[in-house]
Amino acid sequence: MSRPYFIKKGDQVEVTKPGHGSTGPYFPATVLRSPAKTKFNNALVFVEYRTLKAPSVNGTDGYQRLKEVVNLVNVRPAPPPMPGPQLFFKVGDDVDVFLWNGWSRGVVMEILEDSRYLVLYLDTAQEIVCPQHNLRLHMEWDDGSWVPPLLDQRKSPTAEMERNMKLKIIFGKKPLELKFGRGAIVEVSSDEEGYKDSWYIAKIVGSIGSDKFLVEYQDLLTDDGAQLLREEADARHIRPEPPLLPAVCHFKMLQKVDAWYNDGWWEGVISELLTGSQYVVYFRSTNEELIFKHSNLRPHLDWINGKWSIASKEHPNKWVINSQMQNSKLNFCKRMKIEVRSDEEGYTGSWYEAKVVRSLGNDKFLVEYQTLKTDDGLELHKEEADALNIRPCPPEIQHVYPYALHENVDAWYNDGWWVGRISKVLVNTKYMVYFWTTNEELEFEHCNLRPHQEWADGFWVDFSRSV
């Protein structure tokens, strides 16, 4: 006997798009028609999204809630409500973040003032500041039930302190050796030539004075290969084992990662995305690029002032980025995919895909365009480009719902991406786009548009809705 459907007409649900994993996004919706099985033995559901819009059917410039027929496998019930307004989150919590009209997965990295949190957004591996009301504990809908059940009735830190207040007297700083107890699993680095930015898993055997420890490596053997290697390690070269983050479906271009290489974790940057879940990783310490499988990489975390952070605040990526874009200095490694803008008359506001050939010094690079060819059309065009006119390739955003009137977009035109704005919504997923840099208005299909993003302070910011 077939299992009955878990939703019916009128239920509140959440819908994800095909191809997305547990990171989301999940869009809130209402079921308009109960599931119906098709001749292909799959069930379809008619839903109305509560946060996604579509052009109005009456031909006006307005828009209404998007209605869509979706596969039941991409639908789940709306999660149970949070256990009261006093629920708070702690560092390391697996959460959902309400961002860009849907719920996406993240991890709480830091507790801020005014009921705000610093959250690692897993889909782009970026840190964002979120108010408490835009967060909820992450749960998975598994075989008809929520995992884990929402039973954690945590109260606010203030209420907890009032109930369990104790007098605590501190006579002095704790000795350093108490930081790592015997048997603790840690990671140890080295200052030896050629091993900078590498970390090796070890176990604390014992303390040697106030700033040294005897450690036993878990993956390094003695020269004869008979037993695990033991050695003294300075306290400044030891850090706790990083927390286990939720699985990442895929890594992004220029994301900082740790790569498992030569029995240790090496700090690097994704410099190229390959097929088959493989990546090219650039290592600044050795100036090398190597290919790694997805399973041999992990998101990079920094141990700073006694807590874990997704990246150094001074050097979030391989380059240093000032707060003003016009003063930015971007150092890109060889073969890195980028976009280059043109300041030529009539080309303002356009970006062209390219690869870095090599650095020319003085903030200049030789780049090879991926869509522009030489005058004879025989090979890809190369030219010198200033760092001020170079940016990383923006992350892909699956814009599955229609664009709205006045939404900022990038349009694929004349072999490049041109910044414009939706000036009119046409039929058959076509749009008129106005380009203020050239004072032109042209027609485009949905597939030749992407949401407009700006590269600022080392992060991509969604500017599609800004006016």
Side-chain angles (χ1 to χ4, degrees):
M1 184 175 70
S2 63
R3 184 175 178 176
Y5 297 128
F6 58 85
I7 60 172
K8 61 184 184 302
K9 181 179 179 180
D11 281 354
Q12 300 301 307
V13 295
E14 291 184 349
V15 183
T16 189
K17 300 301 179 181
H20 288 277
S22 60
T23 58
Y26 278 89
F27 301 101
T30 302
V31 177
L32 299 182
R33 187 168 62 234
S34 298
K37 184 171 291 189
T38 70
K39 63 181 180 179
F40 301 105
N41 205 32
N42 58 353
L44 300 179
V45 189
F46 187 42
V47 301
E48 178 183 73
Y49 293 99
R50 304 207 308 273
T51 59
L52 302 183
K53 304 293 184 179
S56 177
V57 294
N58 58 15
T60 66
D61 289 337
Y63 49 88
Q64 60 188 10
R65 288 183 175 180
L66 174 65
K67 298 178 182 179
E68 189 176 41
V69 176
V70 298
N71 198 310
L72 183 63
V73 299
N74 296 321
V75 181
R76 68 182 188 183
M82 301 276 280
Q86 290 184 308
L87 178 76
F88 72 99
F89 302 96
K90 63 180 187 295
V91 174
D93 270 351
D94 193 0
V95 295
D96 292 335
V97 187
F98 191 76
L99 192 65
W100 296 312
N101 300 316
W103 291 96
S104 299
R105 196 170 180 181
V107 177
V108 175
M109 303 300 294
E110 188 176 344
I111 301 174
L112 307 176
E113 297 178 346
D114 301 325
S115 299
R116 297 179 304 148
Y117 298 83
L118 186 66
V119 177
L120 170 62
Y121 181 48
L122 293 183
D123 191 47
T124 61
Q126 295 179 352
E127 286 182 327
I128 56 177
V129 176
C130 297
Q132 181 170 309
H133 62 265
N134 276 1
L135 297 176
R136 67 185 186 191
L137 292 175
H138 176 76
M139 294 184 292
E140 293 284 348
W141 179 250
D142 183 24
D143 198 25
S145 61
W146 288 104
V147 180
L150 195 56
L151 300 177
D152 188 359
Q153 301 290 332
R154 284 177 280 168
K155 301 296 180 180
S156 68
T158 303
E160 196 69 24
M161 289 170 60
E162 291 174 352
R163 191 165 55 249
N164 300 305
M165 186 175 294
K166 294 182 181 179
L167 181 63
K168 186 175 183 180
I169 303 176
I170 301 177
F171 291 97
K173 188 178 179 180
K174 290 196 296 182
L176 186 58
E177 58 263 23
L178 296 181
K179 183 178 179 180
F180 300 112
R182 183 189 299 271
I185 301 299
V186 295
E187 291 188 347
V188 183
S189 66
S190 173
D191 280 338
E192 290 186 28
E193 186 70 24
Y195 288 89
K196 188 179 179 182
D197 292 337
S198 62
W199 293 88
Y200 297 88
I201 303 172
K203 180 173 66 176
I204 299 293
V205 177
S207 173
I208 307 174
S210 61
D211 60 354
K212 291 184 181 295
F213 294 85
L214 178 64
V215 299
E216 180 181 81
Y217 293 98
Q218 304 298 286
D219 300 286
L220 301 180
L221 301 177
T222 55
D223 291 338
D224 58 10
Q227 57 186 2
L228 294 174
L229 175 64
R230 288 188 177 189
E231 69 174 11
E232 290 183 13
D234 196 284
R236 63 190 176 91
H237 292 149
I238 303 176
R239 69 183 186 184
E241 189 177 25
L244 182 63
L245 297 177
V248 176
C249 295
H250 55 274
F251 294 99
K252 303 291 185 179
M253 188 69 175
L254 304 176
Q255 181 176 348
K256 289 189 73 174
V257 295
D258 295 337
W260 183 257
Y261 178 62
N262 281 350
D263 300 317
W265 290 104
W266 293 68
E267 300 176 16
V269 177
I270 300 292
S271 60
E272 188 172 351
L273 309 179
L274 304 177
T275 58
S277 297
Q278 295 191 105
Y279 307 84
V280 177
V281 179
Y282 170 79
F283 300 98
R284 179 175 52 187
S285 59
T286 60
N287 197 30
E288 292 180 290
E289 280 188 314
L290 300 172
I291 297 177
F292 289 88
K293 294 181 179 179
H294 185 281
S295 58
N296 288 332
L297 299 176
R298 70 182 184 187
H300 177 71
L301 296 173
D302 285 315
W303 179 248
I304 302 175
N305 297 327
K307 61 183 180 181
W308 288 104
S309 174
I310 187 60
S312 167
K313 299 300 183 183
E314 297 178 351
H315 302 282
N317 282 308
K318 182 179 176 286
W319 50 85
V320 180
I321 301 174
N322 298 327
S323 59
Q324 299 296 325
M325 274 301 293
Q326 60 267 28
N327 295 325
S328 296
K329 292 185 178 181
L330 309 181
N331 297 318
F332 296 97
C333 59
K334 183 179 179 181
R335 294 198 302 162
M336 187 173 291
K337 293 181 180 179
I338 56 173
E339 289 188 349
V340 183
R341 69 180 174 186
S342 175
D343 289 332
E344 292 184 25
E345 184 73 23
Y347 289 88
T348 304
S350 61
W351 291 86
Y352 298 88
E353 298 175 359
K355 279 187 178 182
V356 174
V357 178
R358 65 175 180 272
S359 173
L360 300 176
N362 298 322
D363 298 329
K364 296 185 182 297
F365 297 85
L366 180 63
V367 301
E368 180 183 73
Y369 292 97
Q370 302 300 288
T371 58
L372 303 180
K373 293 188 176 182
T374 54
D375 292 337
D376 57 14
L378 298 179
E379 56 184 24
L380 295 174
H381 178 56
K382 295 179 182 179
E383 73 174 7
E384 180 182 304
D386 192 281
L388 292 175
N389 294 324
I390 301 176
R391 69 181 186 184
C393 289
E396 292 186 11
I397 298 178
Q398 299 297 325
H399 203 287
V400 295
Y401 54 95
Y403 290 95
L405 187 66
H406 303 312
E407 187 169 354
N408 294 331
V409 295
D410 295 340
W412 183 257
Y413 178 63
N414 280 351
D415 300 316
W417 291 103
W418 294 67
V419 181
R421 182 174 297 159
I422 301 293
S423 57
K424 189 173 183 179
V425 178
L426 308 176
V427 297
N428 298 325
T429 63
K430 293 183 178 181
Y431 309 85
M432 295 299 296
V433 178
Y434 172 71
F435 302 97
W436 55 87
T437 57
T438 59
N439 196 30
E440 290 181 290
E441 191 176 41
L442 300 172
E443 181 179 315
F444 290 89
E445 295 186 2
H446 184 100
C447 60
N448 290 326
L449 301 176
R450 70 182 186 186
H452 178 61
Q453 302 176 79
E454 291 283 351
W455 176 249
D457 294 334
F459 295 100
W460 284 104
V461 181
D462 181 11
F463 268 76
S464 61
R465 296 286 179 174
S466 63
V467 179

